[in-house]
Amino acid sequence: MIKKEEMPLCDVATTVQLVGSKWKLLIIRELISGSKRTSQLKRSLAGVSQKVLTESLSSMIDDGLVNRIELKKVPPHVEYQLTALGESFLPVIETMRQWGKYYKSQL
Amino acid sequence: MIKKEEMPLCDVATTVQLVGSKWKLLIIRELISGSKRTSQLKRSLAGVSQKVLTESLSSMIDDGLVNRIELKKVPPHVEYQLTALGESFLPVIETMRQWGKYYKSQL
């Protein structure tokens, strides 16, 4: 997790630094509906490479937005889940959803 | 401008496709306070290369978010300004600002 002193002074820039990438935003969108396995994320995020997906998840875990859960089921597997801090981002996704809809209505 | 049929079905993905990059988001943040010259944008967006700035502005013009204005002043120069569609993105920047503030308060 980045220390407070290392964050940009501007709050918008802070958000951009944390999630200002196509894949991170789409990962959050995917995790809104519940925890997901890597394979599920890869299927939903058409075009993402394994490397970028892994790096994005890893940096989101570091930043406290995503939890990595090891499930002791048969077969054991890993799922990713939004933390409470990650869930607090949902209003941003919601305004993005509204704006995307508005934009398309203007075409 | 992308045709409606070429837009992702998901409204969040539409927004991500249009402005889901660090620099585009920061360019919008900069243009909220009024039109800017390329040199002003470059100063405010620490670390952006000329190439990426030009490409980002050009794609935002194509997408109807930014206007390129040729000013016949002395010396003549070019400024970039949000269109009405670009300005309609401000609520998203505002929720990003609030979330960035909240995130920092949690560190």
Side-chain angles (χ1 to χ4, degrees):
Chain A
M1 209 163 190
I2 305 168
K3 286 190 195 130
K4 201 166 184 171
E5 311 81 73
E6 294 161 354
M7 285 280 165
L9 274 178
C10 169
D11 295 328
V12 179
T14 297
T15 301
V16 167
Q17 180 171 316
L18 289 160
V19 294
S21 86
K22 175 180 175 180
W23 297 117
K24 285 186 184 177
L25 289 166
L26 293 177
I27 287 169
I28 297 178
R29 182 202 62 181
E30 282 310 304
L31 296 182
I32 289 174
S33 54
S35 65
K36 298 274 181 315
R37 303 165 74 138
T38 316
S39 55
Q40 290 175 301
L41 287 173
K42 234 183 142 181
R43 255 199 310 277
S44 311
L45 307 176
V48 73
S49 69
Q50 183 67 49
K51 181 170 180 283
V52 168
L53 181 58
T54 308
E55 282 173 0
S56 302
L57 284 167
S58 160
S59 115
M60 292 167 89
I61 292 168
D62 278 353
D63 292 334
L65 302 175
V66 168
N67 278 328
R68 184 181 186 279
I69 311 165
E70 299 195 14
L71 288 158
K72 311 283 180 207
K73 292 182 187 173
V74 181
H77 67 270
V78 166
E79 291 191 2
Y80 297 91
Q81 183 181 54
L82 290 178
T83 62
L85 198 51
E87 280 183 352
S88 72
F89 192 73
L90 301 200
V92 186
I93 296 284
E94 231 13 79
T95 51
M96 290 176 70
R97 193 185 301 280
Q98 284 162 24
W99 187 76
K101 194 172 178 176
Y102 174 73
Y103 183 93
K104 283 195 274 191
S105 77
Q106 300 297 303
L107 294 187
Chain B
M1 207 164 191
I2 305 169
K3 288 193 194 124
K4 201 167 184 173
E5 311 81 73
E6 295 162 355
M7 285 281 164
L9 276 178
C10 169
D11 296 328
V12 178
T14 297
T15 302
V16 167
Q17 179 170 316
L18 289 161
V19 294
S21 85
K22 176 180 174 180
W23 296 117
K24 286 187 184 176
L25 290 165
L26 293 177
I27 286 170
I28 298 178
R29 182 201 63 183
E30 282 310 302
L31 296 183
I32 289 174
S33 55
S35 64
K36 297 275 180 320
R37 302 165 74 139
T38 315
S39 56
Q40 289 174 301
L41 286 173
K42 235 183 139 177
R43 256 199 308 278
S44 310
L45 306 177
V48 74
S49 70
Q50 183 66 49
K51 183 171 177 285
V52 168
L53 181 57
T54 308
E55 284 174 357
S56 301
L57 284 168
S58 161
S59 113
M60 291 167 90
I61 291 168
D62 279 351
D63 292 333
L65 303 175
V66 168
N67 278 329
R68 182 179 186 278
I69 310 164
E70 298 195 15
L71 289 157
K72 311 284 182 204
K73 292 181 184 170
V74 181
H77 66 273
V78 166
E79 290 192 359
Y80 296 91
Q81 184 183 51
L82 290 179
T83 61
L85 198 51
E87 280 183 352
S88 72
F89 193 74
L90 301 200
V92 185
I93 296 285
E94 232 11 81
T95 51
M96 290 177 70
R97 193 184 303 281
Q98 284 162 24
W99 187 75
K101 192 172 179 178
Y102 174 74
Y103 184 93
K104 283 194 274 192
S105 78
Q106 300 297 305
L107 295 187

